Amino acid sequence: MRRLNLWLGTLACALTLAFGMPPAAQAASSKPSASAKKSSKAKTVKRKSSKSSRKVVRRAPPVPSVGQLAGLRDTSDPLNLQSSVALVVDQDTDEVLFSKNPDAVLPIASITKLMTAMVVVQGGQSLNDELTITQDDVDTLKGSSSRLAVGTRLTRGEMLHLALMSSENRAAHALGRHYPGGLDAFISAMNAKASLLGMHATHYVDPTGLSSSNRSSAQDLALLVRAASEVPLISELSTTREAAVDVGRRQLQYRNSNALVRDPEWTIALQKTGYIREAGRCVVMQAEMAGRKLIMVLLDAAGSYTRTADAERLRSWLASGPLSMSAGVTPPSAR
């Protein structure tokens, strides 16, 4: 009997290996255990909770510029420029070579700093005087950043250099604050100088350009570029490719905000860029093309690459065609 049971057990093992487990056993083994069910359920709940915890971040649409709201970007022109305003003038003859919405009065952002430089230079204060950045120079309007920390001490000449070359806002504000009579007297001097130059559509409220109330037209800015280009120091400081300043034990490296000064295809004697949301991307330049000194003004481009592309398109057009050709356009509202 013992041998029979052993033989039957051996036979059952052989049948199992040959044909698999019996159906009942298979069913029993396929059923998940209670602990397995609990673990699977916990994973599902965890997966659902992780999905529900993900926040969908929706970006707000970009706020349009003043020029865009006025429909100026929709103005057509022969070169299909993307800037709302464009003007090219021969500095020596006053001949207008290209014109697009030249009388539109718009925010000018850091183009303001050209007038800031004019008032500083003509104010006659020593460029070697040491000025200090204080909390008053910190931008509370736009919240823009600066590498010039409160307490930084630089000479007036260094502050002027950084304001023109790299559009350093705290430096520009400090220049105005250290003017005889303070900031209010400085802004009054800016507006008086604008009036003296015949810039009758221009108004300034601060020396940085952070306020959208600093406004001008391309026609007026061409007058400013002409006057500023006659001041060698302003021309030199505005076109420096890069510079370093010593701040305590550190040295800060700055680059020109206008990439075109590093382009060998351009010969730029004076320049200034600008940007705030209300103004779009702006640039003014005095450059030599085809042996002539030309003043170029571009206001309210959608982006820095667009601004540069418009400048390049104008340069190519001027180089390939007769410079006496004028392309005047009028805004949609005037048609």
Side-chain angles (χ1 to χ4, degrees):
M1 180 64 68
R2 187 176 179 180
R3 289 183 179 178
L4 178 61
N5 289 337
L6 182 61
W7 181 83
L8 289 174
T10 303
L11 179 61
C13 289
L15 290 173
T16 299
L17 292 174
F19 301 104
M21 292 170 41
Q26 289 183 8
S29 64
S30 64
K31 291 180 180 179
S33 64
S35 60
K37 285 182 177 180
K38 189 174 181 181
S39 175
S40 175
K41 188 175 181 180
K43 288 180 180 179
T44 303
V45 172
K46 188 175 182 180
R47 191 178 295 114
K48 286 182 179 179
S49 64
S50 65
K51 286 183 178 179
S52 62
S53 65
R54 293 176 186 171
K55 294 181 179 179
V56 179
V57 179
R58 295 180 179 178
R59 294 183 179 179
V63 180
S65 67
V66 172
Q68 193 174 3
L69 287 172
L72 298 180
R73 286 189 187 172
D74 298 329
T75 305
S76 61
D77 66 81
L79 299 183
N80 195 29
L81 301 181
Q82 300 304 300
S83 299
S84 291
V85 172
L87 181 66
V88 180
V89 180
D90 186 303
Q91 180 165 322
D92 295 323
T93 66
D94 291 332
E95 181 184 3
V96 176
L97 305 175
F98 190 95
S99 176
K100 176 182 179 180
N101 298 325
D103 298 317
V105 179
L106 298 174
I108 57 173
S110 287
I111 306 299
T112 296
K113 294 183 177 77
L114 269 186
M115 182 59 82
T116 298
M118 292 284 288
V119 174
V120 168
V121 172
Q122 295 180 5
Q125 294 175 279
S126 173
L127 296 179
N128 295 320
D129 287 348
E130 199 170 61
L131 313 183
T132 303
I133 298 294
T134 70
Q135 191 64 38
D136 291 335
D137 303 316
V138 176
D139 172 24
T140 58
L141 181 62
K142 302 292 186 184
S144 60
S145 61
S146 170
R147 288 189 287 161
L148 298 182
V150 172
T152 298
R153 298 178 66 85
L154 295 173
T155 66
R156 180 175 281 106
E158 289 172 323
M159 296 277 195
L160 182 61
H161 196 176
L162 296 183
L164 285 172
M165 180 187 73
S166 299
S167 217
E168 193 10 278
N169 289 314
R170 290 185 186 177
H173 194 273
L175 289 169
R177 192 170 48 78
H178 285 86
Y179 187 77
L183 191 60
D184 289 342
F186 188 84
I187 295 170
S188 295
M190 293 174 70
N191 285 307
K193 184 64 177 179
S195 179
L196 187 64
L197 293 175
M199 301 170 63
H200 302 303
T202 300
H203 183 67
Y204 298 104
V205 300
D206 83 272
T208 65
L210 288 168
S211 172
S212 61
S213 295
N214 283 12
R215 300 199 174 199
S216 188
S217 67
Q219 294 275 26
D220 278 10
L221 292 176
L223 297 174
L224 176 59
V225 171
R226 182 196 306 275
S229 67
E230 295 172 355
V231 182
L233 181 63
I234 296 179
S235 294
E236 177 188 348
L237 297 184
S238 74
T239 55
T240 308
R241 295 184 180 185
E242 56 187 33
V245 294
D246 293 322
V247 179
R249 297 181 179 180
R250 296 184 303 144
Q251 189 177 73
L252 300 179
Q253 298 286 337
Y254 285 86
R255 301 189 77 193
N256 200 300
S257 59
N258 188 349
L260 293 178
V261 302
R262 295 181 286 275
D263 189 333
E265 296 294 322
W266 285 80
T267 304
I268 300 174
L270 178 138
Q271 69 79 37
K272 188 69 199 76
T273 61
Y275 171 75
I276 55 173
R277 176 185 55 78
E278 297 91 338
R281 301 285 175 173
C282 308
V283 67
V284 296
M285 294 184 285
Q286 191 253 57
E288 187 173 324
M289 299 179 193
R292 300 172 72 175
K293 293 180 180 178
L294 302 181
I295 295 172
M296 184 180 295
V297 180
L298 292 170
L299 302 180
D300 189 34
S304 56
Y305 290 111
T306 304
R307 176 181 63 192
T308 300
D310 281 355
E312 291 284 8
R313 193 172 289 114
L314 280 167
R315 185 180 67 84
S316 298
W317 173 72
L318 291 165
S320 62
L323 286 179
S324 59
M325 179 180 177
S326 178
V329 291
T330 55
S333 59
R335 290 175 186 169

